PDB file of all heavy atoms in Angstrom:
ATOM      1  N   ARG A  96      38.775  22.255  68.264  1.00 97.00           N
ATOM      2  CA  ARG A  96      39.157  21.069  67.483  1.00 97.00           C
ATOM      3  C   ARG A  96      37.922  20.288  67.028  1.00 97.00           C
ATOM      4  O   ARG A  96      37.849  19.811  65.894  1.00 97.00           O
ATOM      5  CB  ARG A  96      40.077  20.164  68.316  1.00 97.00           C
ATOM      6  CG  ARG A  96      41.471  20.724  68.491  1.00 97.00           C
ATOM      7  CD  ARG A  96      42.424  19.692  69.040  1.00 97.00           C
ATOM      8  NE  ARG A  96      42.201  19.416  70.446  1.00 97.00           N
ATOM      9  CZ  ARG A  96      42.836  20.031  71.445  1.00 97.00           C
ATOM     10  NH1 ARG A  96      43.730  20.959  71.183  1.00 97.00           N
ATOM     11  NH2 ARG A  96      42.581  19.725  72.692  1.00 97.00           N
ATOM     12  N   LEU A  97      36.938  20.190  67.926  1.00 97.00           N
ATOM     13  CA  LEU A  97      35.706  19.483  67.591  1.00 97.00           C
ATOM     14  C   LEU A  97      34.998  20.167  66.414  1.00 97.00           C
ATOM     15  O   LEU A  97      34.539  19.512  65.473  1.00 97.00           O
ATOM     16  CB  LEU A  97      34.802  19.474  68.832  1.00 97.00           C
ATOM     17  CG  LEU A  97      33.826  18.330  69.032  1.00 97.00           C
ATOM     18  CD1 LEU A  97      34.456  16.975  68.781  1.00 97.00           C
ATOM     19  CD2 LEU A  97      33.230  18.398  70.430  1.00 97.00           C
ATOM     20  N   SER A  98      34.943  21.494  66.452  1.00 97.00           N
ATOM     21  CA  SER A  98      34.302  22.236  65.359  1.00 97.00           C
ATOM     22  C   SER A  98      35.059  22.030  64.053  1.00 97.00           C
ATOM     23  O   SER A  98      34.458  21.824  62.997  1.00 97.00           O
ATOM     24  CB  SER A  98      34.262  23.737  65.670  1.00 97.00           C
ATOM     25  OG  SER A  98      33.469  23.958  66.799  1.00 97.00           O
ATOM     26  N   LEU A  99      36.397  22.087  64.121  1.00 97.00           N
ATOM     27  CA  LEU A  99      37.206  21.897  62.907  1.00 97.00           C
ATOM     28  C   LEU A  99      36.981  20.506  62.315  1.00 97.00           C
ATOM     29  O   LEU A  99      36.814  20.350  61.105  1.00 97.00           O
ATOM     30  CB  LEU A  99      38.694  22.072  63.242  1.00 97.00           C
ATOM     31  CG  LEU A  99      39.156  23.500  63.497  1.00 97.00           C
ATOM     32  CD1 LEU A  99      40.512  23.516  64.182  1.00 97.00           C
ATOM     33  CD2 LEU A  99      39.218  24.277  62.190  1.00 97.00           C
ATOM     34  N   LEU A 100      36.958  19.510  63.190  1.00 98.00           N
ATOM     35  CA  LEU A 100      36.763  18.136  62.711  1.00 98.00           C
ATOM     36  C   LEU A 100      35.377  17.973  62.096  1.00 98.00           C
ATOM     37  O   LEU A 100      35.214  17.357  61.047  1.00 98.00           O
ATOM     38  CB  LEU A 100      36.950  17.149  63.868  1.00 98.00           C
ATOM     39  CG  LEU A 100      38.404  16.935  64.266  1.00 98.00           C
ATOM     40  CD1 LEU A 100      38.506  16.279  65.636  1.00 98.00           C
ATOM     41  CD2 LEU A 100      39.128  16.080  63.230  1.00 98.00           C
ATOM     42  N   ARG A 101      34.380  18.538  62.754  1.00 98.00           N
ATOM     43  CA  ARG A 101      33.024  18.435  62.209  1.00 98.00           C
ATOM     44  C   ARG A 101      32.940  19.093  60.838  1.00 98.00           C
ATOM     45  O   ARG A 101      32.303  18.585  59.920  1.00 98.00           O
ATOM     46  CB  ARG A 101      32.026  19.091  63.175  1.00 98.00           C
ATOM     47  CG  ARG A 101      31.730  18.224  64.384  1.00 98.00           C
ATOM     48  CD  ARG A 101      31.043  19.028  65.447  1.00 98.00           C
ATOM     49  NE  ARG A 101      30.392  18.179  66.439  1.00 98.00           N
ATOM     50  CZ  ARG A 101      30.033  18.596  67.635  1.00 98.00           C
ATOM     51  NH1 ARG A 101      30.259  19.850  67.990  1.00 98.00           N
ATOM     52  NH2 ARG A 101      29.437  17.794  68.478  1.00 98.00           N
ATOM     53  N   MET A 102      33.608  20.228  60.690  1.00 96.00           N
ATOM     54  CA  MET A 102      33.594  20.916  59.385  1.00 96.00           C
ATOM     55  C   MET A 102      34.308  20.080  58.328  1.00 96.00           C
ATOM     56  O   MET A 102      33.855  19.993  57.192  1.00 96.00           O
ATOM     57  CB  MET A 102      34.213  22.312  59.509  1.00 96.00           C
ATOM     58  CG  MET A 102      33.294  23.280  60.225  1.00 96.00           C
ATOM     59  SD  MET A 102      33.835  24.983  60.106  1.00 96.00           S
ATOM     60  CE  MET A 102      34.956  25.087  61.481  1.00 96.00           C
ATOM     61  N   LEU A 103      35.421  19.449  58.713  1.00 96.00           N
ATOM     62  CA  LEU A 103      36.120  18.582  57.757  1.00 96.00           C
ATOM     63  C   LEU A 103      35.214  17.429  57.324  1.00 96.00           C
ATOM     64  O   LEU A 103      35.189  17.042  56.156  1.00 96.00           O
ATOM     65  CB  LEU A 103      37.414  18.033  58.367  1.00 96.00           C
ATOM     66  CG  LEU A 103      38.583  19.013  58.434  1.00 96.00           C
ATOM     67  CD1 LEU A 103      39.719  18.435  59.265  1.00 96.00           C
ATOM     68  CD2 LEU A 103      39.092  19.352  57.038  1.00 96.00           C
ATOM     69  N   PHE A 104      34.467  16.888  58.279  1.00 97.00           N
ATOM     70  CA  PHE A 104      33.577  15.773  57.941  1.00 97.00           C
ATOM     71  C   PHE A 104      32.432  16.208  57.032  1.00 97.00           C
ATOM     72  O   PHE A 104      32.124  15.532  56.061  1.00 97.00           O
ATOM     73  CB  PHE A 104      33.022  15.116  59.218  1.00 97.00           C
ATOM     74  CG  PHE A 104      33.871  13.966  59.701  1.00 97.00           C
ATOM     75  CD1 PHE A 104      34.976  14.203  60.497  1.00 97.00           C
ATOM     76  CD2 PHE A 104      33.576  12.663  59.348  1.00 97.00           C
ATOM     77  CE1 PHE A 104      35.776  13.148  60.940  1.00 97.00           C
ATOM     78  CE2 PHE A 104      34.365  11.602  59.777  1.00 97.00           C
ATOM     79  CZ  PHE A 104      35.467  11.844  60.572  1.00 97.00           C
ATOM     80  N   VAL A 105      31.793  17.340  57.330  1.00 96.00           N
ATOM     81  CA  VAL A 105      30.631  17.727  56.512  1.00 96.00           C
ATOM     82  C   VAL A 105      31.035  18.259  55.143  1.00 96.00           C
ATOM     83  O   VAL A 105      30.228  18.253  54.212  1.00 96.00           O
ATOM     84  CB  VAL A 105      29.695  18.757  57.213  1.00 96.00           C
ATOM     85  CG1 VAL A 105      29.123  18.186  58.487  1.00 96.00           C
ATOM     86  CG2 VAL A 105      30.366  20.093  57.461  1.00 96.00           C
ATOM     87  N   GLU A 106      32.276  18.683  55.004  1.00 94.00           N
ATOM     88  CA  GLU A 106      32.715  19.200  53.700  1.00 94.00           C
ATOM     89  C   GLU A 106      33.040  18.095  52.706  1.00 94.00           C
ATOM     90  O   GLU A 106      33.254  18.350  51.534  1.00 94.00           O
ATOM     91  CB  GLU A 106      33.948  20.100  53.870  1.00 94.00           C
ATOM     92  CG  GLU A 106      33.601  21.464  54.410  1.00 94.00           C
ATOM     93  CD  GLU A 106      34.836  22.291  54.733  1.00 94.00           C
ATOM     94  OE1 GLU A 106      35.933  21.945  54.262  1.00 94.00           O
ATOM     95  OE2 GLU A 106      34.692  23.274  55.472  1.00 94.00           O
TER      96      GLU A 106
END
Side-chain angles (χ1 to χ4, degrees):
Chain A
R96 287 193 287 267
L97 209 46
S98 296
L99 287 164
L100 285 164
R101 284 166 163 161
M102 286 191 274
L103 283 170
F104 268 84
V105 299
E106 283 173 17

